[in-house]
Amino acid sequence: MKLDHLFDNNRAWARDIEQRTPGFFSRLQKQQSPEYLWIGCSDSRVPANEICGLLPGEMFVHRNVANVVVHSDLNCLSVVEFAIDMLKVKHIMVVGHYGCGGVRAAMDDMRIGIVDNWIRHVKDVRNQHLDWLMTVPEGDHRYNALCELNVLQQAYNICQTTMVHEAWARGQEVVVHGWVYGIHNGLINDLRMSVAAPEGLAQAYADAIDKLKQRYADEA
């Protein structure tokens, strides 16, 4: 099956960019200097730079199923190291999204295939907070709660990586944030966890968890 329509779309997109910003691609090929690293889900409905209104070259991106950050994932760690050491990004955003299939599978113990082993990391988050999650109404509310808890845990994990610790130790500005994107409305929900130094990590994580749980209690 030919994909000519994708090539047509590409030409139209490139033409539009060049008309709006003459010389854009000439400048882009000479320099990549994004200030942001986005670690998000592989879901095709979550285009990182478009969500934030940024052009190509303004955001470095890493994506995987359910936006997981684990210390054995050399792919993710290599991206983080390159972003910090070479690109000098100032902000790392771990971004989940409501309606995430990986989160739903973890919550409901769905069997999918080899990805079950990857989603095991999200199940660990579920198990850590299972007693509280069972107090959240079943369905979308509970899935959303696990989605948010997972983002906070993965943001915490980023802060524990050697490359982030080394950046902080040498005084480099790196701030880690936890966000969730709403596919239903196109808006980003800031989970109020932003960490700029190792000393503030434990408290920022605990405060963000407390605020999350209080918000669900208020909405009940």
Side-chain angles (χ1 to χ4, degrees):
M1 179 179 179
K2 292 186 177 181
L3 300 176
D4 291 344
H5 63 291
L6 296 184
F7 290 99
D8 292 339
N9 291 348
N10 169 248
R11 284 189 288 269
W13 171 80
R15 186 167 55 250
D16 180 61
I17 291 288
E18 190 65 25
Q19 287 176 349
R20 286 190 285 119
T21 311
F24 174 81
F25 291 107
S26 297
R27 292 190 298 273
L28 188 64
Q29 68 178 347
K30 297 176 183 178
Q31 183 179 12
Q32 178 182 210
S33 56
E35 292 189 9
Y36 315 101
L37 168 60
W38 172 291
I39 298 178
C41 184
S42 298
D43 194 297
S44 62
R45 300 168 294 176
V46 189
N49 60 301
E50 292 182 31
I51 287 170
C52 295
L54 298 177
L55 291 170
E58 295 182 323
M59 180 176 285
F60 203 52
V61 178
H62 175 76
R63 298 169 69 168
N64 61 53
V65 175
N67 44 272
V68 168
V69 178
V70 289
H71 303 299
S72 58
D73 181 5
L74 297 183
N75 185 354
C76 181
L77 296 182
S78 297
V79 170
V80 173
E81 181 179 65
F82 187 84
I84 291 174
D85 292 354
M86 303 301 294
L87 300 178
K88 307 299 182 184
V89 299
K90 295 180 179 179
H91 299 273
I92 300 175
M93 297 88 79
V94 178
V95 190
H97 68 93
Y98 299 117
C100 178
V103 168
R104 183 183 294 259
M107 189 71 245
D108 293 343
D109 285 316
M110 293 172 56
R111 295 300 301 274
I112 301 174
I114 194 170
V115 74
D116 296 342
N117 299 280
W118 183 255
I119 293 172
R120 178 74 242 183
H121 298 295
V122 186
K123 287 186 179 181
D124 290 342
V125 178
R126 178 202 64 180
N127 293 342
Q128 181 181 351
H129 300 277
L130 188 58
D131 289 344
W132 176 76
L133 282 167
M134 290 301 103
T135 70
V136 177
E138 191 174 3
D140 287 343
H141 280 83
R142 190 175 294 174
Y143 296 137
N144 291 348
L146 179 55
C147 177
E148 294 175 1
L149 289 169
N150 184 53
V151 164
L152 294 177
Q153 182 61 56
Q154 308 313 324
Y156 181 90
N157 291 350
I158 276 283
C159 293
Q160 294 283 49
T161 60
T162 56
M163 50 284 299
V164 170
H165 271 269
E166 289 170 357
W168 285 338
R170 61 178 176 259
Q172 184 174 340
E173 180 185 356
V174 178
V175 186
V176 177
H177 311 268
W179 295 354
V180 181
Y181 172 67
I183 290 175
H184 62 290
N185 62 10
L187 300 178
I188 294 172
N189 179 18
D190 184 355
L191 297 183
R192 307 298 178 186
M193 180 178 170
S194 293
V195 185
E199 298 79 18
L201 173 56
Q203 192 62 54
Y205 177 73
D207 288 347
I209 294 289
D210 289 344
K211 290 175 183 176
L212 184 159
K213 293 181 177 180
Q214 185 60 54
R215 175 160 49 82
Y216 278 86
D218 294 341
E219 294 173 356

